[in-house]
């Protein structure tokens, strides 16, 4: 009995499992049949009006969205163009700032280099012992500016120093007196810058160091050509500032000399070389040559009627020693530039650029200068008005005498030679103090 009941229960249990499996199979089979015959399902929504309206609304949204996108794109393009323009402007401003910064750095670097050249920073010493530097450093020589002239200077100059004069056939007789006395003194480092063929040939025939520009160079500069051939003293004097620049660029110190000068000693033995420019003065005594306090009286000002002024007579632009420094070259550029633009006297411009201080609208030249001894480097006013009449001063032997105050230059030059070289004690007597 017990065994029979257990068998019946087991059979019931197996039969239940079989029915479940069959039901699952039938369900899967029916699902496959329905899927095959009704792939879109029992309900097709696309056929309903509501569905069509939703589709139409969806299309409209797409079209609207497309229009909005186009407008958005155009707006973005405009913003991009504006941003690009602003970016370009910012780049330009940055570039300008960089250039300004670079320029400032260059100036700073130049100043630092100058300080390094001039010396290390140092503390100020005790009272009365402090002395500033007077001498600017020389430029780096650049012979490429005139290779032909560089070869001549290499042979003629002594210690990179040379006497230079400019001459055309108008001053031929004075030039002969000029180089004859230079030779007599024993000066070898001098050069004539010939402005025409006649002077060039005169120098060659007398063994005088000479330089003349090539025809091609002269033809390129019509202003130079006209002055060289027909220019008077003042025109030629103005031309020298342009010519001197090449000498300084090549690293040579120049003692610029007009032809109306008689050499009695070697001037290189009497120079200080402590300034950019060392010049002869047009002054005729210590006050006028070296400066003085001149009182201007204006009575209507009452208590403040007296105004003190500082005065000095001008430097002579026909005889000066100039070192190859940046301030010296700037001086030549300033004077030559003004003479090209203005109808002015070269000596006046030379002194204005040397002495005018910086002031609103004008930057003064930062060049050091020294006035030569007016008895050693003597002008003809000092000689004829003072020296020849003083028994003690008559015994003095100057280094040079410049006949700049008188028009009868050649005759006075010959008289100077007769007096100082040939010993004729009355050679100077026939001439008046001034011009007749």
């Amino acid at each position: 009995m017990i065994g029979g009941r257990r068998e019946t229960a087991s059979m019931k249990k197996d039969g239940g499992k079989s029915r479940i499996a069959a039901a699952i199979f039938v369900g899967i089979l029916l699902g496959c049949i329905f899927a095959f015959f009704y792939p879109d399902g029992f309900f097709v929504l696309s056929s309903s009006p509501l569905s069509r309206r939703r589709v139409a609304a969806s299309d409209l949204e797409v079209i609207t969205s497309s229009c909005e996108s186009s407008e958005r794109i155009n707006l973005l393009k405009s913003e991009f163009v504006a941003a690009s323009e602003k970016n370009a402007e910012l780049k330009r401003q940055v570039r300008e700032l960089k250039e300004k910064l670079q320029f400032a750095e260059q100036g700073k670097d130049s100043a630092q280099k100058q300080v390094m050249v001039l010396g290390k920073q140092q503390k100020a010493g005790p009272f009365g012992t402090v002395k500033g530097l007077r001498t600017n450093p020389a430029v780096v020589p650049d012979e490429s500016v005139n290779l032909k002239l560089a070869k001549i200077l290499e042979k003629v100059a002594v210690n990179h120093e040379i006497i230079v004069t400019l001459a055309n056939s108008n001053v031929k007789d004075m030039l002969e007196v000029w180089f004859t006395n230079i030779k007599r003194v024993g000066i070898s480092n001098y050069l004539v810058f010939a402005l025409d063929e006649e002077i060039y040939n005169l120098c060659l025939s007398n063994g005088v160091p000479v330089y003349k520009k090539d025809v091609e160079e002269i033809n390129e500069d019509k202003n130079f050509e006209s002055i060289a051939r027909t220019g008077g003293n003042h025109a030629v004097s103005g031309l020298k500032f342009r010519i001197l620049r090449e000498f300084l660029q090549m690293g040579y110190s120049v003692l610029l000399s007009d032809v109306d000068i008689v050499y009695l000693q070697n001037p290189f033995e009497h120079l200080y070389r402590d300034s950019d420019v060392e010049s002869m003065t047009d002054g005729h005594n210590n006050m006028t040559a070296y400066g003085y306090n001149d009182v201007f009286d204006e009575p209507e000002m009452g208590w403040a009627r007296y105004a003190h002024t500082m005065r000095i007579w001008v430097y002579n632009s026909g005889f000066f020693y100039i070192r190859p420094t940046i301030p010296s070259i700037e001086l030549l550029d300033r004077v030559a530039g003004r003479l090209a633009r203005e109808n002015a006297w070269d000596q006046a411009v030379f002194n204005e650029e040397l002495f005018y201080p910086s002031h609103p609208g004008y930057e003064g030249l930062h060049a050091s200068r020294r006035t030569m001894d007016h008895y050693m480097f003597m002008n003809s006013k000092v000689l004829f008005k003072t020296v020849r009449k003083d028994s003690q001063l008559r015994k003095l032997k100057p280094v040079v005498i410049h006949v700049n105050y008188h028009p009868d230059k050649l005759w006075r030059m010959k008289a100077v030679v007769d007096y100082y070289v040939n010993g004729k004690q009355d050679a100077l007597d026939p001439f008046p103090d001034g011009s007749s």
Side-chain angles (χ1 to χ4, degrees):
M1 290 294 291
I2 296 172
R5 285 194 296 270
R6 288 179 177 174
E7 184 179 351
T8 302
S10 175
M11 292 177 61
K12 287 182 180 179
K13 186 176 181 180
D14 291 339
K17 291 181 178 179
S18 299
R19 286 194 296 271
I20 293 172
I24 292 172
F25 174 76
V26 171
I28 292 171
L29 180 63
L30 290 174
C32 291
I33 293 171
F34 286 133
F36 179 78
F37 287 103
Y38 300 98
D40 295 328
F42 291 107
F43 302 100
V44 181
L45 298 176
S46 60
S47 60
S48 66
L50 179 59
S51 176
R52 286 196 297 270
R53 282 198 299 275
R54 286 178 179 173
V55 171
S58 177
D59 293 341
L60 182 61
E61 287 177 1
V62 170
I63 295 172
T64 304
S65 177
S66 176
C67 292
E68 289 178 353
S69 297
S70 298
E71 291 177 358
R72 181 62 178 170
I73 290 172
N74 291 333
L75 181 60
L76 289 174
K77 285 183 179 180
S78 300
E79 291 178 353
F80 177 77
V81 170
S84 299
E85 292 177 351
K86 188 174 182 179
N87 186 46
E89 177 65 18
L90 289 174
K91 285 183 178 180
R92 185 187 65 79
Q93 292 178 359
V94 169
R95 188 167 58 251
E96 289 180 354
L97 288 173
K98 284 183 177 180
E99 291 175 354
K100 290 180 180 179
L101 180 61
Q102 184 178 8
F103 181 77
E105 288 295 332
Q106 288 175 350
K108 179 183 177 182
D109 184 56
S110 176
Q112 289 176 341
K113 286 181 179 178
Q114 187 174 10
V115 170
M116 291 176 63
V117 171
L118 295 178
K120 296 181 179 179
Q121 288 182 314
Q122 55 185 348
K123 293 181 179 180
F127 180 81
T129 65
V130 177
K131 188 175 182 180
L133 296 174
R134 269 76 171 171
T135 308
N136 284 301
V139 298
V140 177
D142 180 12
E143 295 185 349
S144 65
V145 297
N146 192 327
L147 295 175
K148 177 184 174 183
L149 179 58
K151 292 180 180 179
I152 297 175
L153 293 176
E154 187 177 354
K155 296 178 181 178
V156 178
V158 176
N159 297 325
H160 274 75
E161 294 181 323
I162 190 166
I163 298 173
V164 177
T165 192
L166 279 66
N168 60 17
S169 54
N170 293 335
V171 295
K172 177 183 175 181
D173 294 336
M174 285 191 291
L175 179 64
E176 289 185 281
V177 177
W178 183 85
F179 65 65
T180 298
N181 282 277
I182 282 182
K183 287 182 177 182
R184 181 188 53 77
V185 172
I187 302 169
S188 61
N189 51 331
Y190 69 102
L191 178 73
V192 175
F193 196 110
L195 299 176
D196 57 38
E197 201 67 28
E198 184 177 356
I199 292 298
Y200 182 72
N201 292 330
L202 172 68
C203 292
L204 289 179
S205 62
N206 285 275
V208 173
V210 63
Y211 168 79
K212 183 179 180 294
K213 280 184 174 290
D214 295 330
V215 176
E216 293 78 9
E217 294 178 277
I218 295 175
N219 290 338
E220 289 176 0
D221 191 343
K222 297 300 181 183
N223 186 44
F224 179 93
E225 182 182 15
S226 63
I227 294 175
R229 292 181 178 178
T230 62
N233 287 345
H234 288 313
V236 171
S237 187
L239 186 64
K240 67 194 174 194
F241 293 97
R242 293 170 54 194
I243 292 173
L244 282 181
R245 193 185 204 279
E246 292 186 352
F247 289 82
L248 268 59
Q249 279 184 276
M250 290 187 284
Y252 289 89
S253 296
V254 177
L255 183 57
L256 188 280
S257 172
D258 283 352
V259 295
D260 56 345
I261 293 177
V262 177
Y263 287 77
L264 302 173
Q265 299 184 59
N266 189 334
F268 292 111
E269 298 174 0
H270 300 270
L271 297 174
Y272 285 81
R273 299 175 179 85
D274 64 348
S275 303
D276 296 305
V277 178
E278 197 167 338
S279 181
M280 172 183 281
T281 176
D282 271 2
H284 59 93
N285 54 30
N286 287 347
M287 287 179 57
T288 56
Y290 311 136
Y292 61 102
N293 183 2
D294 184 47
V295 180
F296 176 76
D297 185 11
E298 195 174 9
E300 58 268 28
M301 286 299 295
W303 176 80
R305 64 182 292 179
Y306 300 112
H308 291 256
T309 68
M310 298 307 300
R311 301 284 297 278
I312 185 173
W313 285 32
V314 296
Y315 283 174
N316 191 287
S317 63
F319 190 86
F320 60 87
Y321 177 79
I322 185 166
R323 296 180 59 251
T325 66
I326 292 298
S328 295
I329 295 174
E330 183 182 0
L331 170 65
L332 298 180
D333 288 350
R334 287 186 178 212
V335 176
R338 283 188 55 186
L339 292 176
R341 300 187 303 269
E342 306 171 14
N343 182 22
W345 181 27
D346 71 282
Q347 181 162 292
V349 175
F350 176 69
N351 279 271
E352 288 169 1
E353 294 299 334
L354 263 179
F355 285 96
Y356 279 174
S358 297
H359 55 263
Y362 176 80
E363 184 178 351
L365 180 72
H366 302 286
S368 57
R369 53 195 182 272
R370 169 181 282 273
T371 305
M372 292 177 172
D373 186 323
H374 71 281
Y375 283 128
M376 300 302 289
F377 297 89
M378 191 183 297
N379 61 58
S380 56
K381 180 176 182 177
V382 173
L383 174 63
F384 287 97
K385 188 176 180 181
T386 305
V387 171
R388 68 170 177 169
K389 300 175 183 178
D390 188 297
S391 59
Q392 295 300 316
L393 292 177
R394 284 173 69 94
K395 300 176 184 178
L396 178 69
K397 187 178 182 180
V399 177
V400 300
I401 293 179
H402 189 181
V403 187
N404 61 315
Y405 268 101
H406 301 88
D408 49 343
K409 298 179 180 297
L410 179 61
W411 311 114
R412 292 191 186 238
M413 288 178 71
K414 291 181 176 180
V416 168
V417 174
D418 282 340
Y419 180 80
Y420 285 102
V421 179
N422 301 327
K424 294 183 179 180
Q425 296 300 307
D426 60 348
L428 303 176
D429 296 345
F431 299 93
D433 289 352
S435 56
S436 57

